[in-house]
């Protein structure tokens, strides 16, 4: 091959190497974008779960109030039904069948750590591709740490919500039974 | 012996054999480098071989010039030594051409003719690419090549990207699930709130009903007192009936009032506990 041929071949190899490095930089930049979007979605989910946890807490409080009202209504009915209902109520201590929402205190919501600026560093004044790849890989590492922490927090929130839902289910069963009893009692009186 | 013949003899016996042995040496090395795929060494050796070939050519040109000046008798004498040399040159050049194909640089047959330097230099050898097809390339100027490790790194980067895409989809699905359960939870909250209000209203109604019922106790007491006292007093007489009856009514009313008060007190106590 002539010298020109060798030079063309060398040029080809140089192009191949720079293409490889560019591919690496682009691949890592895309990975960073995925991490960014995953973080946004996770933060949104966390916010919604927070609000829902608060609403579940309100539901629990409402059910407690309903239960308490049902108990009192039952005593009023007793008082109305018989002459000595008042005497009976005087000596009857109010029973609270439902546990107070002792666990309704929401866990201190840890602040979701902020993702450092994960704008993919693809080209800033066209630095050397290797530097870009290294920076991107560092940011990917940081981003993955934050995502894993966020996932754990979301998991805790979901566990808390699940426990609340279990309690709400039990409470609403109790309340349902009490309201039915009261209805029957009132219907008998009528 | 003429001077030209002596000079011719010198070339044929000494100079040309030296060139030929060097060319043979180059040919051996070139074929070895070609088989081993050592392109850089091949190139360097080829350069040296070309230089030797040019030297041979120029010597042949000189020999041609010498033979051109010979008489017919001396030329016949000279051909006896030139012919074997010619055959040897052809063999060596042919062997060299097998390793480095290209247009012939030498025209051995026209030893007697002078060939211009330009003709010789214009015969450019082109190394066919086909010789290097099975040989790994090692470019001269590029220091590094894409190594298998770099290929693995690129594949790993792409695998990482795919995994992160999956993670992103998981987070998106989680956000969608959380968004989907928003509406049911809001409805649940509203329903329980309304239910609590209704139950509260019902309890208030019962409280007032209890109070109203308590209002009847003095009346009931008076009636009962009168009904008990009247007959008892009637035994004593009309006056006694009236007095005992009135007394019974008063006591009954007072008792009823007392019961009413107790009743209302307990109701209020129940009601106050809420507030």
């Amino acid at each position: 091959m002539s010298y020109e041929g060798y030079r063309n071949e060398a040029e080809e190899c140089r192009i191949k190497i720079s293409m490889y490095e560019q591919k690496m930089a682009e691949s890592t930049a895309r990975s960073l974008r995925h991490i960014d979007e995953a973080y946004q979605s996770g933060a949104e989910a966390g916010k919604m779960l927070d609000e829902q946890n608060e609403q579940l807490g309100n539901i629990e409080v409402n059910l407690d109030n309903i239960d308490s009202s049902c108990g009192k209504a039952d005593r009023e009915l007793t008082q109305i039904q018989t002459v000595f209902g008042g005497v009976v109520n005087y000596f009857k201590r109010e029973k609270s069948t439902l546990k107070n929402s002792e666990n309704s205190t929401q866990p201190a919501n840890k602040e979701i750590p902020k993702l450092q600026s994960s704008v993919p560093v693809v080209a800033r004044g066209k630095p050397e591709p290797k530097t870009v790849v290294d920076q991107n890989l560092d940011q990917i590492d940081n981003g993955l740490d934050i995502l894993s922490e966020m996932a754990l927090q979301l998991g805790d929130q979901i566990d808390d919500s699940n426990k609340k839902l279990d309690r709400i289910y039990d409470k609403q069963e109790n309340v349902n039974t009490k309201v039915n009893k009261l209805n029957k009692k009132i219907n008998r009186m009528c | 012996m003429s001077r030209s013949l002596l000079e011719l003899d010198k070339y044929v016996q000494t100079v040309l054999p030296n060139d030929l042995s060097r060319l043979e040496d180059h040919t051996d090395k070139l074929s070895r480098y070609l088989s081993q795929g050592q392109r850089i060494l091949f190139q360097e050796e080829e350069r040296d071989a070309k230089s030797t070939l040019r030297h041979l050519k120029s010597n042949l040109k000189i020999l041609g010039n010498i033979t051109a000046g010979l008489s017919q008798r001396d030329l016949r004498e000279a051909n006896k030594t030139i012919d074997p040399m010619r055959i040897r040159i052809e063999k060596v050049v042919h062997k060299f051409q097998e390793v480095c194909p290209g247009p012939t640089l030498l025209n051995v047959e026209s030893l007697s003719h002078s060939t211009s330097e330009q003709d010789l230099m214009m015969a450019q050898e082109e190394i066919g690419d086909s010789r290097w097809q099975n040989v790994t390339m090692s470019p001269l100027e590029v220091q590094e090549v894409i190594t298998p490790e770099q290929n693995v790194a690129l594949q790993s980067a792409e695998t990482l990207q795919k995994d992160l895409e999956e993670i992103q989809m998981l987070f998106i699905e989680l956000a969608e699930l959380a968004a989907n359960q928003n509406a049911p939870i809001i409805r649940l909250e509203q329903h329980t709130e309304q239910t609590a209000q209704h139950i509260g209203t019902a309890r208030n109604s019962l409280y007032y009903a209890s109070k109203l019922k308590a209002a009847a106790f003095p009346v009931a007491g008076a009636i009962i007192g009168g009904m008990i006292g009247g007959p008892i007093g009637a035994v004593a007489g009309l006056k006694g009936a009236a007095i005992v009856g009135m007394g019974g009514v008063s006591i009954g009313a007072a008792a009823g009032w007392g019961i009413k008060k107790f009743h209302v007190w307990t109701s209020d106590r129940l009601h106050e506990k809420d507030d």
Side-chain angles (χ1 to χ4, degrees), chain A residues 41-141:
Chain A
S41 304
E44 210 176 298
K47 196 177 158 191
M48 281 190 281
L49 286 171
D50 253 348
E51 287 172 4
Q52 285 167 15
N53 259 341
E54 205 180 312
Q55 286 166 339
L56 288 174
N58 292 340
I59 290 167
E60 221 176 331
V61 166
N62 286 337
L63 284 171
D64 288 340
N65 290 339
I66 291 168
D67 179 61
S68 166
S69 298
C70 282
K72 290 184 171 107
D74 186 44
R75 291 171 77 171
E76 294 280 0
L77 274 174
T78 308
Q79 205 150 313
I80 293 169
Q81 268 180 328
T82 59
V83 176
F84 303 105
V87 178
V88 171
N89 282 340
Y90 179 78
F91 291 107
K92 198 178 177 182
R93 281 191 185 173
E94 194 174 335
K95 287 178 193 174
S96 172
T97 54
L98 296 179
K99 289 177 191 173
N100 288 333
S101 317
E102 73 263 6
N103 294 328
S104 66
T105 53
Q106 294 178 15
N109 287 329
K110 296 177 196 172
E111 258 190 48
I112 293 171
K114 282 188 180 172
L115 201 61
Q116 285 171 14
S117 86
S118 59
V119 175
V121 180
V122 177
R124 276 186 200 150
K126 296 208 175 174
E128 286 293 320
K130 270 187 187 170
T131 317
V132 169
V133 169
D134 286 339
Q135 284 180 4
N136 286 350
L137 287 172
D138 286 339
Q139 286 188 351
I140 286 169
D141 182 39

Side-chain angles (χ1 to χ4, degrees), chain B residues 102-269:
Chain B
T104 53
L105 302 172
L106 297 171
N107 195 352
V108 182
E109 287 171 9
S110 59
L111 267 175
S112 56
H113 302 287
S114 65
T115 49
S116 65
E117 285 259 353
Q118 204 170 2
D119 288 342
L120 295 170
M121 294 303 289
M122 273 176 67
Q124 300 275 338
E125 285 187 11
E126 296 286 330
I127 295 175
D129 284 337
S130 60
R131 290 179 303 166
W132 293 101
Q133 264 172 10
N134 298 324
V135 175
T136 51
M137 307 207 302
S138 70
L140 293 171
E141 294 175 34
V142 179
Q143 295 298 317
E144 48 182 335
V145 291
I146 300 171
T147 62
E149 287 82 14
Q150 285 175 325
N151 272 332
V152 168
L154 187 60
Q155 282 172 12
S156 300
E158 284 169 6
T159 307
L160 173 67
Q161 186 200 319
K162 281 179 190 165
D163 290 341
L164 287 172
E165 201 176 334
E166 280 180 27
I167 290 173
Q168 183 201 339
M169 294 313 297
L170 285 172
F171 273 95
I172 289 173
E173 278 176 28
L174 178 65
E176 278 175 12
L177 286 170
N180 284 342
Q181 67 185 29
N182 243 354
I185 289 176
I186 289 171
R187 278 204 304 274
L188 193 59
E189 193 188 8
Q190 286 172 349
H191 289 160
T192 51
E193 214 171 297
Q194 284 171 4
T195 306
Q197 283 174 0
H198 291 324
I199 299 282
T201 309
R203 205 174 65 79
N204 283 338
S205 303
L206 286 172
Y207 166 69
Y208 290 125
S210 169
K211 271 194 165 178
L212 283 171
K213 185 193 169 185
F217 283 147
V219 173
I223 291 169
I224 292 167
M227 283 177 70
I228 293 169
I232 291 170
V235 172
L238 198 62
K239 273 190 188 173
I243 294 165
V244 173
M246 288 296 286
V249 166
S250 307
I251 291 168
W257 182 83
I259 292 170
K260 173 192 165 189
K261 275 288 175 190
F262 179 74
H263 199 95
V264 167
W265 177 74
T266 50
S267 283
D268 286 344
R269 201 165 137 256

